[in-house]
Amino acid sequence: MRGEHVDALLDELSNLPRVIGTPITVAWNAKEDLLDLLATARTRPDREQVRDLLYRFYRRRADADLPELQRLATTVETWWPEILAFLHTGITNAGSEGTNRVIKTVARDAHGFRDPGNQRLRTRCATTRRARGHLDAR
């Protein structure tokens, strides 16, 4: 988001009643802190940089006292070893997660097919490159 848009957003939020605007602003800032941390992926961040960005996120969560941010901070804490590995290596499991989503969607669309062989064939067709249009089928 460009600077002038951020300023306009923060102005709008400050014009709302405090009970509405303040939690939204705090949550938005915490989200930005987390995105700043994740943006260091594949840049070989040093420990101090990661520590400072993580501290900033946790500090904002502690100051906010919002249950949604508490839940997000708990999730970050639970997954911290994996998040740190991603920050240092840039490797994710996005490909396998995407394939798993396609398989579950195909199974859901099958509407109760009872033949496991047919289900495997439908899944295989949905997850191969040719079925997704990457290769010429001729």
Side-chain angles (χ1 to χ4, degrees):
M1 191 179 258
R2 294 192 348 231
E4 63 268 12
H5 295 156
V6 172
D7 293 339
L9 173 69
L10 294 176
D11 288 342
E12 287 293 323
L13 288 172
S14 67
N15 291 333
L16 291 172
R18 190 172 172 90
V19 71
I20 297 170
T22 301
I24 295 171
T25 303
V26 170
W28 188 79
N29 285 326
K31 182 250 330 171
E32 289 297 315
D33 291 341
L34 191 55
L35 288 178
D36 288 344
L37 175 64
L38 296 176
T40 64
R42 299 182 184 99
T43 64
R44 297 185 178 265
D46 58 9
R47 285 179 169 221
E48 290 77 24
Q49 181 183 13
V50 171
R51 182 200 63 213
D52 292 344
L53 291 169
L54 186 62
Y55 176 78
R56 191 173 73 184
F57 168 72
Y58 281 135
R59 180 82 248 155
R60 190 153 340 242
R61 195 270 324 147
D63 292 343
D65 196 34
L66 291 173
E68 296 85 2
L69 284 182
Q70 175 66 39
R71 207 166 35 247
L72 178 59
T74 301
T75 301
V76 169
E77 185 178 349
T78 301
W79 287 93
W80 182 246
E82 291 81 4
I83 294 170
L84 188 59
F86 166 67
L87 294 178
H88 288 296
T89 65
I91 298 171
T92 70
N93 65 342
S96 60
E97 290 291 338
T99 300
N100 190 39
R101 183 192 55 81
V102 169
I103 290 169
K104 287 182 178 183
T105 301
V106 168
R108 202 174 307 119
D109 291 343
H111 300 296
F113 279 117
R114 293 187 181 102
D115 182 10
N118 187 2
Q119 184 62 39
R120 279 192 299 275
L121 180 61
R122 289 173 57 89
T123 300
R124 175 81 183 228
C125 288
T127 57
T128 59
R129 289 183 178 271
R130 179 171 290 145
R132 293 187 314 232
H134 293 289
L135 299 175
D136 187 7
R138 290 184 266 158

